[in-house]
């Protein structure tokens, strides 16, 4: 970071000190969260090694992965989608609260990361209409600080929405898969690096990420990892 920008940030922080976005106490550790609230964010340490589905105890493959192996090569979702992370995520995604997104990205990048780094991070794209309505792509906002921290370039606009899809939140697993089938495409251009990661904010059934992975593999990527801030516990669902 250059000196004027650093000085500007210091001045800003003096005028606007870190404040916990959840309880209003003083922030800690260079975050807009206090230490107690940050510690409450549920970590996804016990999960399926293949798809990061939260489990009671860690497993190499959950039942869903055994029935239907996912198309990606590795998954990294360090948090569980639950209280109080869901509050920050809702503010970030639906409340135009970019400070909540910055705090989430900062927490994410501080966690132990996969040792085999991709050569490129591709955020899950939003359809134009949704992007216009929201004003930003939450996946891209999370990807940028992560990419900077890991020294991995972030490319948006390479993986694109081929068509608009209905919101996934109201659909069951099978309907989610149908809803996103063929929804993504990779722009033609220079060859993709052999190892890339596709990044989203929350992974629920994984249908959206799986469809992105298929598009990237069709476009020539050899290894595609999926990265999500949080994985929702969805027992009994697959895909
Ligand atoms: Zn707090
Ligand atoms: Zn699994």
């Amino acid at each position: 970071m250059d000196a004027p920008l650093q000085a500007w940030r210091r001045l800003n922080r003096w005028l606007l000190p870190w404040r916990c976005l959840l309880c209003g106490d003083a922030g800690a550790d260079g975050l807009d969260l206090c230490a107690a609230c940050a510690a409450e964010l549920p970590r996804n340490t016990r999960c399926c090694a293949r798809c990061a589905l939260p489990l009671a105890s860690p497993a190499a493959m959950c039942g869903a992965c055994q029935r239907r192996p996912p198309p990606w090569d590795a998954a990294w979702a360090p948090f569980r989608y639950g209280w109080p992370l869901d509050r920050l995520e809702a503010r970030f995604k639906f409340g135009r609260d970019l400070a909540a997104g910055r705090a989430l990205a900062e927490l994410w990048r501080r966690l132990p990361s996969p040792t085999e780094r991709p050569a490129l991070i591709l955020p899950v794209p939003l359809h134009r209409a949704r992007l216009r309505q929201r004003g930003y792509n939450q996946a891209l906002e999370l990807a940028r600080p992560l990419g900077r921290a890991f020294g991995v370039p972030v490319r948006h606009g390479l993986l694109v929405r081929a068509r608009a899809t209905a919101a996934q939140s109201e659909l069951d697993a099978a309907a989610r898969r149908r809803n996103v089938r063929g929804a993504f495409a990779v722009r033609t251009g220079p060859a993709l690096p052999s190892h890339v990661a596709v990044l989203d904010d929350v992974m629920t059934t994984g249908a959206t990420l799986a469809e992105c992975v298929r598009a990237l593999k069709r476009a020539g990527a050899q290894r595609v990892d999926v990265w999500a801030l949080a994985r929702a516990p969805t027992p009994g669902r697959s895909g």
Side-chain angles (χ1 to χ4, degrees), residues 20 22-23 34 37:
C20 181
L22 289 167
C23 73
C34 72
C37 288

Side-chain angles (χ1 to χ4, degrees), residues 47-53 55 59-66 70 72 231:
C47 64
C48 168
R50 193 84 172 76
C51 76
L53 182 75
L55 298 171
M61 277 239 216
C62 68
C65 284
Q66 283 169 22
W72 55 74
R231 180 76 153 99

Side-chain angles (χ1 to χ4, degrees), residues 142-176:
L142 291 172
R144 278 187 176 131
L146 228 65
R148 266 199 302 276
F150 299 158
V152 177
V154 173
R155 283 281 299 279
H156 67 288
L158 191 59
L159 180 64
V160 294
R161 290 257 173 189
R163 59 177 174 82
T165 52
Q168 291 280 77
S169 49
E170 301 302 314
L171 306 174
D172 69 14
R176 280 173 187 244

Side-chain angles (χ1 to χ4, degrees), residues 71-72 122-128 130 137-139 155-168 175-188 192 198-202 205-219 224 226 239:
W72 55 74
L122 302 139
V124 171
L126 282 185
H127 191 263
R128 276 192 312 277
R130 182 98 22 100
N137 175 353
Q138 72 280 4
R155 283 281 299 279
H156 67 288
L158 191 59
L159 180 64
V160 294
R161 290 257 173 189
R163 59 177 174 82
T165 52
Q168 291 280 77
R176 280 173 187 244
R177 282 198 298 275
R178 279 196 302 276
N179 185 39
V180 293
R181 195 165 294 154
F184 300 96
V186 177
R187 282 234 170 94
T188 48
L192 284 171
V198 53
L199 183 149
D200 209 353
D201 52 347
V202 179
T205 64
T208 300
L209 283 164
E211 204 53 36
C212 292
V213 171
R214 288 186 196 101
L216 288 162
K217 291 210 163 177
R218 276 197 302 270
V224 185
V226 293

